[in-house]
């Protein structure tokens, strides 16, 4: 599945060759760590207001990669669906794609209560 319509790609930050940001890609790779930022809080008493994760990304990209050999993928920001069920569906598709590639998804910004049922499967 192509996620272009549902995920806003992260902007590029200037990084040095020794920083982890210089190795981050935007496509899910086998045995990688996949970052996805979500700002839909509708299922936890909030709303689907867009959050700005730029500062988090910028600081993460500055970290030293040292001997870190695992590929890191930053998919970007998940666009909230018309309903919370739409957002859950797209999130489930991303998690399935990660599972298929044996990648570890790291979902940032979403309340854990919304992710809980994914761990029960």
């Amino acid at each position: 599945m192509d996620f272009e319509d549902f995920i806003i790609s992260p902007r590029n930050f200037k990084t040095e060759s020794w920083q982890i940001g210089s190795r981050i890609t935007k496509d899910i790779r086998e045995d990688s760590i996949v970052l996805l930022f979500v700002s839909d809080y509708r299922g936890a008493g909030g709303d689907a207001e867009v959050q700005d994760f730029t500062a988090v990304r910028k600081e993460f990209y500055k970290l030293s990669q040292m001997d870190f050999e695992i590929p890191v993928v930053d998919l970007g920001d998940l666009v909230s669906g018309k309903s919370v069920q739409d957002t859950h569906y797209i999130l489930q598709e991303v998690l399935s794609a990660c599972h298929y590639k044996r990648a570890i998804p790291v979902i940032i910004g979403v309340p854990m209560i919304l992710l809980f049922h994914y761990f029960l499967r």
Side-chain angles (χ1 to χ4, degrees), residues 34-94:
V34 178
L35 304 175
L36 179 65
F37 295 81
V38 180
S39 57
D40 194 337
Y41 292 89
R42 287 180 287 192
D47 54 20
E49 187 175 309
V50 176
Q51 304 292 319
D52 185 9
F53 294 107
T54 303
V56 175
R57 266 197 187 93
K58 200 172 195 179
E59 293 304 313
F60 180 74
Y61 282 31
K62 287 181 187 178
L63 294 174
S64 172
Q65 65 179 325
M66 299 202 41
D67 294 331
F68 197 73
E69 297 295 327
I70 300 171
V72 178
V73 178
D74 186 351
L75 287 181
D77 297 348
L78 183 74
V79 176
S80 297
K82 287 186 179 182
S83 69
V84 71
Q85 290 81 13
D86 293 339
T87 303
H88 278 259
Y89 175 76
I90 296 303
L91 187 55
Q92 178 61 45
E93 291 297 315
V94 171

Side-chain angles (χ1 to χ4, degrees), residues 2 7 9-10 15 17 19 28 39 44 55 61 65 74 80 100 104:
D2 188 15
I7 297 176
S9 287
T15 57
S17 61
Q19 292 175 317
I28 299 174
S39 57
Y61 282 31
Q65 65 179 325
D74 186 351
S80 297
Y100 179 75
I104 300 169

